[in-house]
Amino acid sequence: MTDQLAFSDDLLVGLTPEQREAVTSPARRLLVRATAGSGKTHVLTLRIQRQIAQNEVDADQVLAMTFTRRAGDELRRRLFRAGIRDIRAGTFHRAALSLVNQYREDHHLKPLVIESNRRRLVSALAAQLKNSGDLRLEDWQLPRLEQEIGWALSQGFTGAQYAKNAKKLRRDAPLPATQFADVLDRYVGLCRSRGVLDFDLLLSEAISLLRDEPNVLASFRHRNKAIYVDETQDMNPLQFMLLRHMAGDDPDLFCVGDPNQSIYGFNGANPQLLGEIIRTWPDTVVLDLTRNHRSTANIIAVANTLLEQGAQGIIPAKDEGDVPMVRSYNTDEQEAEHVATWLSAKHQPGSPWKSMAVLARTNAQLELVASLLEAHDIPCERRGAEHSPASDLLTTPETWNRRIDEDHKDAVALSTIHRAKGLEFQHVAAIGWSEGQLPNYNATTAAQLAEEQRLAYVALSRAEDSLLITWSRGRNDPRYPDRSPSRFLAPIEKVVGEIEQRNAPLTGEARRARLAAIRLELEQAVDEGNVAH
């Protein structure tokens, strides 16, 4: 049974012309480049509503995909509130698992075993290589090996393809390229021999079925008439390959994303794949949503300093608001103490604890803040970084509803910046803006530093009304003493200074000159008869 849904033009009231076009465009293929706070998920939801209401597609013929469990939850929540029940919405991995399981069920094959912890498979591979005498890997090498295997698979590489491209891509691999290529192929072989797939191999399995099994492809295309992709900037080459096989040559396709929020390079994500959509389907209509409805104009002025050179600036829809603050401290303890004081001052009617967040580059940076907030009797909730689609594959209606309830705890959110993407808060304290922390000391290449800059942009663009940016010199930290301010702070402080100067009351000669100018304007207006005597 499909949804019966009415779509009134009243739902379009209040949309900007660009948003309205994204919802109502008759184009079969749309790429919407939407800045932070521009209402992109709202636009996506409205377009689905409209498409169903106009009988262009049934609700159970729509596939909506995104990249993290939380984003999938939010998409399902919005569609549910709009009265849409039968739609399939979740991660790429969830869609792939459904396709593969259906094939195996139809052919009376055992269900797949999905291994959510790649480290276990890498450890088993290391033991196998050691026992065969081919290669001895030390325990300290395994995390880097695991990371590089994940990156290679996210690109859709076989061992031979990795070896061919490694020099051009300048990968900092844990083994020589040819040796790692052999290990990569052995890893895939180990998984196949055990009847186990990790998340990347799950996507590869779905791609193989769509490519090699005509009945699977025909069935998928018959069932999925319209494909929607949210947060498209998070797509990696393997996921794009899956999308391309799902969509075919003439898809009803709607993709929305913000290249300035592409922060999952370690998972192989590449914002340049937005351009690949246009190259694959050249008649794709491209729309830009540049108006931010979330943050005050002053916060946007600060966030704009972090956009890459040549990127289109964000246009504010709200008034100037409070001036963002940048503060430095000698120690991490002083930094955390001031953050607690700042949050306490913000806590008042209309600003509950849950409207506030403390954002940091890493989870470790949040430990001290958590203890200081506890000492100040400020309730807080830790939100660890989430990069794995595992929980989306294990979602049941009960767990999904429980997560919705948890979202409403009245507590300050302590979160990594990665985990905060897609969220918004009235008041945000962005901590740890020193060299080595943000940008992180592991970021050494131009591409990695560019991603750190996008990460900083994501942090600032979470704030609606007020923003505090802090850093510490780390004087009592033996690991990283005498830190210097983040390279991202200089342009921010310049803009903050300009805002403060613009808002400062005039004194002395400047005040007298301004009054004289006003007096002259009034006299001229009187002479011209524009002001009543």
Side-chain angles (χ1 to χ4, degrees), residues 32-53:
V32 179
R33 297 181 300 203
T35 192
S38 61
K40 60 186 176 57
T41 305
H42 180 55
V43 162
L44 181 147
T45 306
L46 284 179
R47 186 172 175 87
I48 291 175
Q49 285 181 253
R50 189 171 185 274
Q51 202 170 23
I52 294 170

Side-chain angles (χ1 to χ4, degrees), residues 35 53 85 112 142 148 155 226 228 249 258 266 296 299 301 318 346-347 381 394 403 428 438 520:
T35 192
R85 303 289 186 270
L112 282 172
L142 298 189
E148 192 68 5
Q155 306 302 298
Y228 285 76
D249 294 331
D258 180 5
F266 56 86
T296 64
I299 290 174
K318 296 171 71 173
K346 293 297 179 185
H347 185 238
E381 177 187 10
L394 302 174
R403 287 207 296 262
V428 169
L438 186 67
L520 180 61

